[in-house]
Amino acid sequence: MPALDAADLRLLDLLQRDGQMTAQALAEKVHLSPSQVARRKQRLEADGVIRGYRAHLDPKAVGLSVQAFVQIQTATHTDTSHRAFLRLTETQPEIIAAWTLTGEADYLLRIICADLTALNRLVQEVLLPHPAVGRVQSQIVMDEIKPDSPLPT
């Protein structure tokens, strides 16, 4: 990864908060010219520091009212079962994030569904029958007190 200076860090902080800021608006806040800001932004994108841009949607506004975190213990710890489980996470759109873990669980899934029936279907018909899955433990989110926020810079 490239070395980041104070202007890069300020630029990244601003872009995390509003990825649609113009070069002019960014330049005013970073105290550089718009062309310098544009070049820095292009470099940060090319270097993979900025991975992309997207709209942040309100789940309830698009009909998704249940969020859960699901811990998975695998039945076996083979490369084949790991790859099979990764394929499963990639094919289920309700699984919006997945992590490998240390400790009792092997994976942690963040799932967003329309309702409890949809979550139950995913757990009962997709996760539990999968040959790589040994145990499933889920926690349903009651309230989101701090949504995903920008990374500290």
Side-chain angles (χ1 to χ4, degrees), residues 13-76:
D13 185 56
L14 291 165
L15 287 169
Q16 283 188 97
R17 295 172 196 287
D18 182 357
Q20 292 186 314
M21 285 184 78
T22 65
Q24 180 64 43
L26 289 166
E28 291 170 9
K29 296 199 179 277
V30 180
H31 305 296
L32 296 171
S33 72
S35 62
Q36 289 174 309
V37 164
R39 281 192 300 276
R40 282 176 180 263
K41 186 177 167 192
Q42 286 176 335
R43 177 181 48 82
L44 292 165
E45 291 166 352
D47 289 346
V49 177
I50 297 174
R51 293 182 180 176
Y53 302 90
R54 64 179 178 195
H56 187 78
L57 305 180
D58 177 351
K60 288 185 175 90
V62 295
L64 302 170
S65 63
V66 172
Q67 181 174 189
F69 288 92
V70 176
Q71 294 180 31
I72 304 290
Q73 279 184 328
T74 55
T76 61

Side-chain angles (χ1 to χ4, degrees), residues 2-148:
L4 303 175
D5 63 17
D8 289 333
L9 294 173
R10 178 73 176 131
L11 180 63
L12 291 170
D13 185 56
L14 291 165
L15 287 169
Q16 283 188 97
R17 295 172 196 287
D18 182 357
Q20 292 186 314
M21 285 184 78
T22 65
Q24 180 64 43
L26 289 166
E28 291 170 9
K29 296 199 179 277
V30 180
H31 305 296
L32 296 171
S33 72
S35 62
Q36 289 174 309
V37 164
R39 281 192 300 276
R40 282 176 180 263
K41 186 177 167 192
Q42 286 176 335
R43 177 181 48 82
L44 292 165
E45 291 166 352
D47 289 346
V49 177
I50 297 174
R51 293 182 180 176
Y53 302 90
R54 64 179 178 195
H56 187 78
L57 305 180
D58 177 351
K60 288 185 175 90
V62 295
L64 302 170
S65 63
V66 172
Q67 181 174 189
F69 288 92
V70 176
Q71 294 180 31
I72 304 290
Q73 279 184 328
T74 55
T76 61
H77 292 90
T78 67
D79 191 48
T80 302
S81 67
H82 174 70
R83 283 195 311 272
F85 188 76
L86 292 182
R87 278 192 302 280
L88 171 75
T89 65
E90 293 166 357
T91 60
Q92 299 300 311
E94 300 91 348
I95 300 173
I96 63 167
W99 300 271
T100 58
L101 303 174
T102 61
E104 272 190 50
D106 296 300
Y107 302 97
L108 177 65
L109 309 178
R110 183 175 174 201
I111 296 174
I112 295 186
C113 293
D115 52 30
L116 286 173
T117 301
L119 177 61
N120 185 51
R121 182 204 59 77
L122 181 68
V123 170
Q124 297 295 327
E125 297 176 16
V126 177
L127 295 176
L128 283 171
H130 193 278
V133 173
R135 183 170 165 264
V136 173
Q137 182 178 358
S138 60
Q139 294 88 30
I140 296 172
V141 174
M142 300 296 290
D143 190 21
E144 188 172 277
I145 58 173
K146 184 178 180 181
D148 292 337

